[in-house]
Amino acid sequence: QVQLVESGGGLVQPGGSLRLSCAASGSISRFNAMGWYRQAPGKQRELVATITRGGRTNYADSVKGRFTISRDNAKNLLYLQLSSLKPDDTAVYYCNARDYEGNVLFAWGQGTLVTVSS
């Protein structure tokens, strides 16, 4: 079992930027893919971005061009750079590993709250 700890959230004004981090207790390089998810108040958790073992990335249409996912396998860290933030990006952000079918592999961490507001 790998434990995942998200950090880097906070309060930011519309148009601002944040960088989220996800620290894993074990190696992340062995997983098919890693992903960032978010859950806004009153809504279901949704997939935001993924990055494969080979470095291929994919994004939800709502964040494409604004968010960038990256990974540092040597440090077992996953990142999400958030830019041009909108109030609709307000949510708790989570990370997880994914199998070949897109299923998450581990229990959810506590997440990190991103609030976009003026």
Side-chain angles (χ1 to χ4, degrees):
Q1 180 78 2
V2 172
Q3 292 186 323
L4 303 163
V5 179
E6 302 90 349
S7 62
L11 174 63
V12 62
Q13 292 186 340
S17 299
L18 282 174
R19 189 176 83 156
L20 308 183
S21 298
C22 168
S25 61
S27 174
I28 64 172
S29 61
R30 58 194 171 101
F31 302 122
N32 173 62
M34 297 292 296
W36 280 99
Y37 301 75
R38 69 184 181 185
Q39 187 168 19
K43 295 186 178 180
Q44 290 189 335
R45 192 165 0 224
E46 63 175 349
L47 178 63
V48 173
T50 60
I51 183 167
T52 67
R53 184 187 293 119
R56 187 174 60 199
T57 59
N58 197 30
Y59 299 92
D61 287 343
S62 59
V63 307
K64 202 170 294 184
R66 300 188 299 119
F67 291 7
T68 303
I69 188 172
S70 61
R71 61 196 293 169
D72 185 335
N73 289 336
K75 297 181 179 179
N76 297 323
L77 289 169
L78 181 72
Y79 301 105
L80 187 67
Q81 178 69 44
L82 289 65
S83 302
S84 302
L85 282 162
K86 305 175 182 179
D88 283 350
D89 295 319
T90 295
V92 179
Y93 285 72
Y94 304 86
C95 62
N96 216 312
R98 293 163 57 87
D99 64 17
Y100 287 95
E101 296 178 345
N103 301 307
V104 298
L105 297 180
F106 302 112
W108 296 104
Q110 83 287 352
T112 187
L113 176 62
V114 173
T115 303
V116 184
S117 175
S118 55

